[in-house]
Amino acid sequence: MIQDIDSKRSHVPGKILLYFAAVMLVALLVYGWSMPPVDASGFRQTQTALSIDWIARGFPVLSYITPVIGAPWSIPFEFPLYQWLAAILANATGMGVDNSARLVSAVFHVGCVVMVYRVVLAIRADRALALCIAGAFAASPYALFWGRSVMIESTAVFFGLVFVWALARLRGAPLGYPRMLGLGLVAVLSAVLSALVKVTTFFGFAAFVALAFAWLALREHGWRPQWLARQWPLLAWGALSALAVVAVMTQWLTHADALKAQSPLGHEITSSALSAWNYGTLQQKLDPATWWGTVFKKRFSGAVGSNWVFLVFLVVGLCARPIRAAVLVLLVAYLAPVAVFTNLHIAHPYYQAATIVFATSIVGLVVWWSIQRAQASGKTTRPIWLVGFLCLLSLGTLGGSYFKRMKEAREPGQVAQIAAVVKAATPEDSVIVGFGQDWSSELPYLAGRRAVMVPDWAPTTALASMAASDAALGGLPLGALVECPNAIGSDPARSAHLQQIIARYSAGVSVQTVGQCQVWLHR
């Protein structure tokens, strides 16, 4: 009886974290229900929403269009599983794309919490441990905020966790061949889906599996033939998963790049063209400012809402002998994607969604270790105070940062004002030509129009092509020309092309000023 009471008490901290996270997730969904997806990284959220919108209108799924940098409009990056599900939900229920996308994202986020719980149980059958690690992930302010955004992140993370779970089960108790085959196929399929949805996210889970396997081999003398014979299902299905990911991703990237290369601006965002941008430079990787200024000061706070508090959890975890090795593996898995895709993690705060589960797992491990220590000393309330502190810290971060961003997103800014003017005064099948907003999807998404958003980095050949012909419009009528402050005319030739484009598309119509931008409407 006493043992049962102690067992139930050990579950309380993890349950507190989970209950708190459930309330906060609902609050975030309700509060953000009527706002556009521009509360953070609006560039990326609206790009995803724009693709969903056009899939929902009945356009192709695999060759889906994101009409933002000109005809023929298709510039696919990730495999559109998340977009397809959100479009189906929007069409089936009649709700807006914003809300269907948030709901799909939130459902996958909840699925991630469940899969974290199941992964831990597959590795070690300790419910208190599983509740602590799942609760730490669920209560993370970063995971909560991005878990309900209009983004593909939670979908990719979910399948990455399913992949880890399937391999963990393959390593567990002896299995019959049907069960082994089923788990192996789940591992392969989930690995492929995670990589297709977002390959940079899957990399983190592949790295974790490799690190965990190396740790097991080192601890259990994995060079012995008997050990290798016992672990052959794990080795075989892990290798098959890797081969399947490489084969399928090669085909998808070939397909996606061929579609992008059909337009002058699209050619600049193929996988080969973006390679240097994605990986960053060796100087970035070795620069202490990257790891101090970006990783520690900006990214370490994601797990609990404070970089210093997370650092304390990390130090405690590395000093606690029972969990030290696991914490070290999780820390390397957390930082490995940053070391590889350095520039992406510097430029985009949402990229940490791929790795935050490893950071929160460190927090969960330390909470569980504190429960063991508390039970041994008879001071069982200490873990309750600890998770209470984590909940307050998360609540403070949500209220002081994320809810503030959402409140600001409710107010119509300059782009939203331009979009309202364009949407009210132009035909639905018309095209916007825009300068000074990079190639952001915010304006075309909010206006519900195709667009040619010309970034400052547009090649001179693309500018010359637009100055000479209307090919970028794809045979559709011009609806609006929008010029905001920009640096496109960085030399006389580029400046001349820009002026020619503006002269052609502004001829015969009056101009109106919205904020710092000039807008010409072709009614």
Side-chain angles (χ1 to χ4, degrees):
M1 179 65 71
I2 294 175
Q3 186 175 0
D4 290 341
I5 293 173
D6 288 343
S7 177
K8 290 180 179 179
R9 284 179 178 172
S10 69
H11 297 167
V12 172
K15 288 182 177 180
I16 290 174
L17 292 170
L18 289 170
Y19 292 147
F20 165 80
V23 173
M24 288 298 100
L25 181 60
V26 172
L28 285 165
L29 284 170
V30 171
Y31 188 72
W33 192 254
S34 60
M35 54 169 262
V38 294
D39 46 359
S41 298
F43 187 114
R44 191 61 176 92
Q45 288 201 69
T46 52
Q47 185 183 100
T48 305
L50 187 65
S51 301
I52 297 169
D53 185 25
W54 287 90
I55 291 174
R57 297 188 192 194
F59 283 79
V61 176
L62 292 183
S63 299
Y64 64 97
I65 69 172
T66 310
V68 68
I69 54 175
W73 314 115
S74 184
I75 51 168
F77 286 91
E78 61 275 348
F79 184 81
L81 175 62
Y82 167 74
Q83 292 89 327
W84 177 62
L85 293 174
I88 289 176
L89 181 60
N91 287 337
T93 62
M95 71 173 63
V97 164
D98 295 351
N99 294 328
S100 69
R102 287 193 184 99
L103 281 178
V104 171
S105 183
V107 167
F108 274 111
H109 172 69
V110 173
C112 290
V113 176
V114 174
M115 288 312 305
V116 169
Y117 178 81
R118 297 194 66 183
V119 166
V120 177
L121 286 182
I123 296 172
R124 175 170 175 161
D126 187 323
R127 189 161 178 246
L129 176 62
L131 286 169
C132 286
I133 294 179
F137 171 71
S140 162
Y142 182 95
L144 280 165
F145 179 78
W146 290 105
R148 36 63 57 199
S149 63
V150 183
M151 302 281 272
I152 60 176
E153 312 305 321
S154 61
T155 307
V157 171
F158 172 79
F159 286 110
L161 287 167
V162 174
F163 167 68
V164 175
W165 169 80
L167 291 184
R169 291 288 292 114
L170 281 169
R171 186 188 176 273
L175 302 168
Y177 280 102
R179 179 69 170 163
M180 187 185 302
L181 177 63
L183 286 170
L185 291 175
V186 168
V188 173
L189 180 60
S190 56
V192 168
L193 287 175
S194 180
L196 280 172
V197 173
K198 192 164 187 177
V199 68
T200 53
T201 294
F202 175 71
F203 174 82
F205 293 96
F208 171 74
V209 167
L211 288 166
F213 185 81
W215 173 53
L216 286 172
L218 183 64
R219 190 184 69 172
E220 299 176 359
H221 307 295
W223 51 87
R224 294 175 178 174
Q226 299 91 332
W227 187 87
L228 292 171
R230 289 197 307 270
Q231 302 300 331
W232 76 263
L234 182 62
L235 288 165
W237 286 108
L240 187 59
S241 297
L243 291 173
V245 166
V246 171
V248 174
M249 283 304 302
T250 299
Q251 293 299 313
W252 172 253
L253 290 176
T254 300
H255 167 74
D257 284 349
L259 292 172
K260 293 175 189 174
Q262 294 179 38
S263 68
L265 291 176
H267 193 274
E268 300 300 310
I269 55 173
T270 60
S271 57
S272 58
L274 290 177
S275 178
W277 165 263
N278 293 337
Y279 293 105
T281 64
L282 182 61
Q283 182 180 356
Q284 282 179 310
K285 299 176 190 296
L286 300 179
D287 189 351
T290 297
W291 298 95
W292 175 255
T294 298
V295 177
F296 177 72
K297 284 188 173 181
K298 296 181 180 179
R299 305 297 184 247
F300 258 37
S301 63
V304 296
S306 166
N307 49 2
W308 290 106
V309 171
F310 176 66
L311 181 62
V312 170
F313 272 90
L314 179 59
V315 171
V316 171
L318 291 173
C319 292
R321 184 181 295 275
I323 61 174
R324 181 183 302 159
V327 168
L328 185 59
V329 169
L330 289 165
L331 177 62
V332 176
Y334 177 49
L335 297 178
V338 184
V340 175
F341 304 104
T342 309
N343 192 59
L344 289 174
H345 282 266
I346 292 174
H348 302 304
Y350 58 83
Y351 261 82
Q352 197 185 11
T355 61
I356 196 68
V357 66
F358 304 119
T360 57
S361 294
I362 293 172
V363 175
L365 274 170
V366 173
V367 172
W368 173 80
W369 175 77
S370 73
I371 293 172
Q372 310 307 306
R373 298 267 298 178
Q375 287 186 337
S377 64
K379 299 176 180 178
T380 56
T381 60
R382 285 185 176 179
I384 306 298
W385 287 105
L386 178 59
V387 297
F389 169 71
L390 288 175
C391 291
L392 288 174
L393 193 58
S394 178
L395 180 62
T397 303
L398 289 169
S401 178
Y402 294 124
F403 275 104
K404 182 181 178 181
R405 294 184 193 179
M406 295 169 72
K407 181 180 178 180
E408 292 171 351
R410 290 174 174 273
E411 303 297 327
Q414 177 178 271
V415 175
Q417 293 173 31
I418 296 172
V421 170
V422 172
K423 190 172 186 177
T426 61
E428 189 173 345
D429 65 343
S430 62
V431 180
I432 302 168
V433 174
F435 298 94
Q437 297 183 40
D438 203 353
W439 57 291
S440 172
S441 297
E442 288 190 36
L443 178 56
Y445 175 67
L446 296 176
R449 301 289 185 267
R450 288 178 171 89
V452 186
M453 304 298 292
V454 186
D456 289 354
W457 49 258
T460 303
T461 52
L463 295 175
S465 175
M466 289 187 66
S469 75
D470 295 331
L473 304 184
L476 297 173
L478 176 68
L481 171 65
V482 178
E483 185 190 18
C484 299
N486 63 79
I488 293 177
S490 56
D491 60 59
R494 292 174 63 83
S495 181
H497 292 319
L498 175 61
Q499 295 308 314
Q500 289 172 4
I501 296 168
I502 293 175
R504 289 181 65 238
Y505 290 145
S506 65
V509 295
S510 59
V511 64
Q512 58 181 289
T513 301
V514 180
Q516 294 181 305
C517 302
Q518 292 182 304
V519 182
W520 292 267
L521 297 172
H522 293 255
R523 302 176 188 275

